[in-house]
Amino acid sequence: MPFFFIDFNTHYGIKLYNYMEEPKLREDEIEIRRIILNPIYKYSCDCCVDGFYQQYLWGKKDYTLRLGIYNPRCRVPPQVELIRQVERGIIGVVLSPKHHNFSLLHPSLNFVYEVVDRKGLILVLYDPPLDELKWLLDKYTFPVVLIDSKHVVTNERVYYVVNHSSTIIDQRRSIYGSDAPYNSLNLIESAKLFINNHGYDEGVAYKNALELLNDVNVNF
């Protein structure tokens, strides 16, 4: 029986770190069915959209899905930049308030939230402040995926990215995301470590993410 994975947090295609190789998707019983490309740089950089365009130039592949990204401190307004990314087929938008030094209540982000809501996208947040996260969940209806979050909230629209080193708090709302190759492991190595540390949970590894992607009309 194959061990299926959807890897919701990968950084392939970012030329800055020379992650341009084609990753191996199958080995032994492990099969990575899809990877989601997260364009955030490993180290702090205010040119937040560069990673997205590097991944875009890497090329559309049948196993990849793309996330967009925005920083309200960017010189290009979201009315221009975010629409460019939407036209290139993103499934969601990454915001990293601590990494890029902004508040989720920044007024220019209202346009981002409205587009995410209207277009049926996913909002991906790196460790948001709890009060700002609750404000977003009260005001909007889109699903939220949290990476490196220190907070757990009771809301069926919130998912938590976990990998081999994570503590899995809620199996129903956890989705696998390796952070490869930023963690110095490839997709298969990360998946094997996840199985070694947690056992194979089909919900966390595959089905929860599949349900989320189906909810935002991503067809497999």
Side-chain angles (χ1 to χ4, degrees):
M1 174 183 172
F3 297 138
F4 290 144
F5 283 83
I6 293 174
D7 195 328
F8 203 91
N9 186 29
T10 75
H11 309 279
Y12 289 92
I14 295 185
K15 187 175 181 180
L16 177 67
Y17 301 123
N18 198 30
Y19 295 141
M20 306 300 288
E21 73 273 16
E22 291 282 339
K24 181 186 288 188
L25 302 175
R26 297 173 184 83
E27 185 175 289
D28 300 327
E29 295 181 308
I30 292 174
E31 181 177 341
I32 314 294
R33 303 294 300 275
R34 290 288 190 281
I35 68 173
I36 285 75
L37 300 178
N38 182 342
I40 196 166
Y41 281 167
K42 186 174 184 178
Y43 303 108
S44 183
C45 176
D46 285 342
C47 301
C48 65
V49 302
D50 285 0
F52 170 79
Y53 290 103
Q54 289 175 39
Q55 290 180 330
Y56 183 77
L57 292 172
W58 189 51
K60 174 65 175 174
K61 307 168 196 306
D62 59 5
Y63 59 87
T64 62
L65 297 166
R66 291 194 192 93
L67 294 171
I69 191 167
Y70 191 68
N71 177 355
R73 298 167 63 220
C74 180
R75 61 181 177 80
V76 182
Q79 289 82 353
V80 175
E81 180 54 47
L82 188 62
I83 297 306
R84 287 175 183 163
Q85 297 182 31
V86 168
E87 290 172 347
R88 286 162 173 78
I90 61 174
I91 66 162
V93 178
V94 177
L95 298 176
S96 186
K98 291 182 180 177
H99 197 63
H100 287 141
N101 192 27
F102 64 82
S103 166
L104 293 176
L105 305 182
H106 193 291
S108 73
L109 290 176
N110 289 333
F111 180 81
V112 175
Y113 303 142
E114 289 163 7
V115 169
V116 169
D117 214 24
R118 187 171 70 250
K119 297 289 186 180
L121 304 178
I122 300 164
L123 188 68
V124 179
L125 300 175
Y126 276 83
D127 190 23
L130 183 57
D131 58 338
E132 296 182 5
L133 173 61
K134 288 181 175 179
W135 174 83
L136 275 173
L137 293 170
D138 286 342
K139 187 167 184 179
Y140 297 99
T141 60
F142 44 67
V144 173
V145 172
L146 300 180
I147 298 177
D148 297 338
S149 177
K150 296 179 178 64
H151 307 296
V152 177
V153 296
T154 303
N155 190 303
E156 294 300 318
R157 290 185 286 120
V158 177
Y159 294 80
Y160 303 89
V161 171
V162 298
N163 60 23
H164 67 276
S165 63
S166 302
T167 299
I168 299 175
I169 297 171
D170 187 339
Q171 290 179 304
R172 297 168 304 163
R173 292 187 290 137
S174 292
I175 56 178
Y176 174 75
S178 66
D179 206 31
Y182 282 179
N183 59 4
S184 300
L185 300 169
N186 64 36
L187 299 176
I188 298 296
E189 290 168 338
S190 295
K192 285 182 176 179
L193 270 178
F194 181 82
I195 293 172
N196 288 341
N197 293 350
H198 298 292
Y200 180 70
D201 184 313
E202 188 179 30
V204 175
Y206 181 69
K207 285 191 172 180
N208 294 347
L210 182 63
E211 180 180 320
L212 170 62
L213 293 171
N214 285 338
D215 284 347
V216 294
N217 298 317
V218 175
N219 296 318
F220 277 66

